[in-house]
Amino acid sequence: MNDFIAILALSLLTSGLSEALSYALVFRTEQFQRLKAKVTQTEARLDEEKGTAAGSGSGKHRQRRIAGLETQLADARRGASSLQMRTMLVVGLVQAAAIYGVSARFGGRAVATLPFEPFGLVRSLTHRGLPEDSAPAACSATFVFVLGGLAFRAALDRWLQLGLPKGNSLPAWVADPEAVLAGKK
């Protein structure tokens, strides 16, 4: 149990370090802040334009304005994504080094036991670094570290809210399937 808690603590520490690196290299830069403000402003204008009554202008003119705003929004999001790519390599190296360290320190020992026997693909993930004769429901330190890192990183992203606003990134057929089906008839 102590190994399990130590691995989760390392996972939390590594996730925090990754978020700190992302903040230092991308999120606090003036260029990213400018793009974030543009995304927020363009989303508000787009929502306002889509929400206004059709009588505010001709249909084609209004559709052109909406298309222009959607293009501006896509360009701003693309620019912010290219800035975020800077940190992906650094964060990936930090994560790889941490996984190597965890594997070296806790390799060959089961640190947790699953309440079920996983099927083939999942078993290869849960048994990474464990000997062949280990229990079928055993979990390796690497699996616990990676799973904890995914959970902590998502929680930190949500809590700190450093990145771009999420907006409505759902495809139209998911967001409003009735309207899509009605348009095809």
Side-chain angles (χ1 to χ4, degrees):
M1 188 63 164
N2 288 338
D3 287 346
F4 184 78
I5 292 171
I7 292 167
L8 286 181
L10 282 170
S11 181
L12 178 62
L13 180 70
T14 305
S15 296
L17 178 63
S18 297
E19 287 300 313
L21 284 170
S22 295
Y23 176 76
L25 296 175
V26 173
F27 296 132
R28 72 182 179 115
T29 63
E30 183 180 323
Q31 186 179 10
F32 184 81
Q33 293 299 323
R34 201 172 37 245
L35 286 169
K36 185 176 178 179
K38 184 173 182 171
V39 165
T40 305
Q41 178 187 17
T42 307
E43 280 181 343
R45 286 178 40 209
L46 186 61
D47 288 343
E48 179 183 310
E49 189 65 38
K50 285 182 176 179
T52 57
S56 66
S58 70
K60 287 185 179 183
H61 182 67
R62 184 167 171 260
Q63 290 299 326
R64 239 182 277 137
R65 283 193 310 243
I66 289 173
L69 288 172
E70 287 174 344
T71 302
Q72 287 178 9
L73 183 60
D75 289 344
R77 284 192 179 276
R78 192 175 313 113
S81 293
S82 69
L83 284 176
Q84 288 175 319
M85 293 293 265
R86 288 183 192 173
T87 61
M88 290 182 102
L89 178 64
V90 175
V91 168
L93 290 174
V94 167
Q95 292 291 339
I99 288 172
Y100 175 77
V102 165
S103 294
R105 170 79 168 91
F106 299 100
R109 289 194 315 226
V111 296
T113 304
L114 295 173
F116 58 90
E117 186 176 326
F119 58 91
L121 176 66
V122 177
R123 183 179 299 147
S124 66
L125 295 174
T126 62
H127 277 68
R128 182 157 180 88
L130 293 179
E132 291 288 327
D133 61 347
S134 61
C139 271
S140 70
T142 307
F143 179 74
V144 172
F145 179 80
V146 170
L147 198 61
L150 291 172
F152 290 136
R153 188 92 193 258
L156 284 172
D157 279 344
R158 181 169 289 204
W159 183 58
L160 297 174
Q161 296 180 353
L162 295 174
L164 294 176
K166 298 299 181 214
N168 187 9
S169 59
L170 294 175
W173 62 273
V174 174
D176 192 7
E178 289 85 18
V180 173
L181 291 175
K184 287 185 176 181
K185 292 181 180 179

